[in-house]
Amino acid sequence: MEWSDLRVFLAIARTGTLGAAARSSGQSQPTMGRRLQALEQALGQTLFQRTRDGFVLTDEGMAVLAHAERMEEEVHGLERKLSGRDGLLEGMLRLSSSDWFGAHVLAPVLAEFAQLQPRVIVELLTSATHFSLPRREADMVFRIQPFDEPEVISRKLMHIDYGVYLHAALEAPQAGDGSGASLITMDTAFGGMPDALWLKKMLPNAQIVSRSNNRDVQARMCALGAGIAVLPRPLGDALASVRLLDLGETPPGRDTWVGYHRDLRRQARLRALLDLVVARLGS
């Protein structure tokens, strides 16, 4: 088993396909396939399931991944020390968060991190899909539910207040009624979220005119005068054409949690990013 074969394995694990792995490493796709086959033969294990959607790590592949990443970190550390760049980290980190949180909360922190560690490539996936940390689909995940997987190290990062917003030119509705008002709310799949239920309770006679699972879409609709929306304060307060409504009580806020796989707890680049995220956003 050679380190170069493990680098091929890491590239495939991180990109999910031979083609993407080949592009990221500057090798041809057939070469990547041959090197992976040689590694699997040397280990006597199948490291990936070949599916129509790409390569998925097997349990044996997951075990190899943890060791390969530790080896990669040691190699990079030695290279930095020998070249006098011991303060610079390198490699890739894959993050997952909701769309609005990534765009409005994480992006400024990631921009700062890019200045501090320009050799670390941060890939941010913004989706309603829950990427699995135990399956190593992401290195660090931000979400509104606590983590309960035994392989995951997590902490509550911050509490986010929510507010009720309306275009500045429109008339505010009467709390407890809402007749004549239009609502912009979550789609039916997320209709049970606390802020969506609260909005319907506070304005029971208002008419729902738009549903979306995308907070930025809701904010844009609200800013264009389509109706009232409950939005996270970091998103809603940044809108120039809306005002914050007082309906007698504030909508329920949400806690945001951050988690990462326990095998990465000593990875220098993940620790550096996590420390910055906590310093800038932690409460």
Side-chain angles (χ1 to χ4, degrees):
M1 179 173 56
E2 299 181 6
W3 166 239
S4 58
D5 290 336
L6 286 174
R7 292 180 66 178
V8 167
F9 165 79
L10 285 172
I12 298 171
R14 288 165 177 166
T15 61
T17 67
L18 285 178
R23 289 190 295 272
S24 70
S25 60
Q27 299 190 49
S28 69
Q29 185 170 329
T31 297
M32 300 293 282
R34 287 194 298 271
R35 301 294 291 275
L36 174 60
Q37 186 177 24
L39 177 62
E40 289 181 323
Q41 289 176 348
L43 295 174
Q45 302 287 346
T46 299
L47 303 180
F48 293 98
Q49 295 177 6
R50 279 70 166 174
T51 72
R52 184 167 54 184
D53 296 325
F55 282 53
V56 179
L57 285 165
T58 62
D59 290 340
E60 293 77 14
M62 292 289 293
V64 172
L65 178 65
H67 290 283
E69 287 187 323
R70 286 196 289 270
M71 292 174 64
E72 179 187 50
E73 192 68 21
E74 290 297 324
V75 169
H76 286 164
L78 177 60
E79 290 173 345
R80 292 193 302 271
K81 186 172 289 292
L82 293 177
S83 64
R85 296 184 289 105
D86 209 24
L88 284 178
L89 306 174
E90 56 189 296
M92 191 178 95
L93 288 171
R94 175 176 288 186
L95 279 55
S96 171
S97 77
S98 64
D99 46 18
W100 80 267
F101 189 85
H104 299 276
V105 179
L106 281 182
V109 181
L110 298 184
E112 182 180 356
F113 185 74
Q115 295 294 319
L116 296 172
Q117 299 293 346
R119 294 178 177 271
V120 178
I121 301 171
V122 179
E123 182 177 87
L124 176 60
L125 308 173
T126 58
S127 170
T129 301
H130 279 180
F131 290 91
S132 169
L133 286 170
R135 293 294 303 173
R136 300 299 298 276
E137 294 171 348
D139 298 315
M140 189 184 299
V141 170
F142 300 84
R143 72 186 198 192
I144 57 176
Q145 293 94 10
F147 296 84
D148 55 10
E149 300 92 335
E151 306 95 331
V152 175
I153 298 173
S154 66
R155 57 160 287 171
K156 187 171 79 171
L157 178 63
M158 62 191 300
H159 179 81
I160 298 174
D161 292 325
Y162 280 53
V164 190
Y165 296 89
L166 176 68
H167 191 280
L170 298 179
E171 184 178 348
Q174 181 67 40
D177 180 11
S179 296
S182 300
L183 301 184
I184 301 163
T185 188
M186 300 299 296
D187 70 321
T188 53
F190 292 90
M193 292 186 71
D195 57 281
L197 296 175
W198 179 91
L199 183 61
K200 189 61 179 174
K201 180 194 75 171
M202 297 300 294
L203 301 173
N205 297 318
Q207 176 69 38
I208 295 176
V209 298
S210 176
R211 295 182 184 273
S212 176
N213 68 340
N214 187 301
R215 295 289 188 183
D216 274 306
V217 171
Q218 295 176 18
R220 182 66 175 154
M221 295 281 289
C222 182
L224 291 171
I228 297 167
V230 175
L231 301 170
R233 291 290 300 267
L235 174 56
D237 289 354
L239 299 173
S241 59
V242 305
R243 58 192 171 107
L244 190 63
L245 297 183
D246 182 3
L247 296 181
E249 65 178 76
T250 58
R254 303 301 294 264
D255 291 329
T256 294
W257 299 74
V258 58
Y260 57 95
H261 197 284
R262 64 188 179 192
D263 288 343
L264 301 181
R265 62 188 180 275
R266 294 187 179 88
Q267 188 184 84
R269 59 182 180 273
L270 183 138
R271 293 302 315 177
L273 177 57
L274 181 62
D275 288 346
L276 184 63
V277 165
V278 171
R280 297 293 180 262
L281 305 178
S283 59

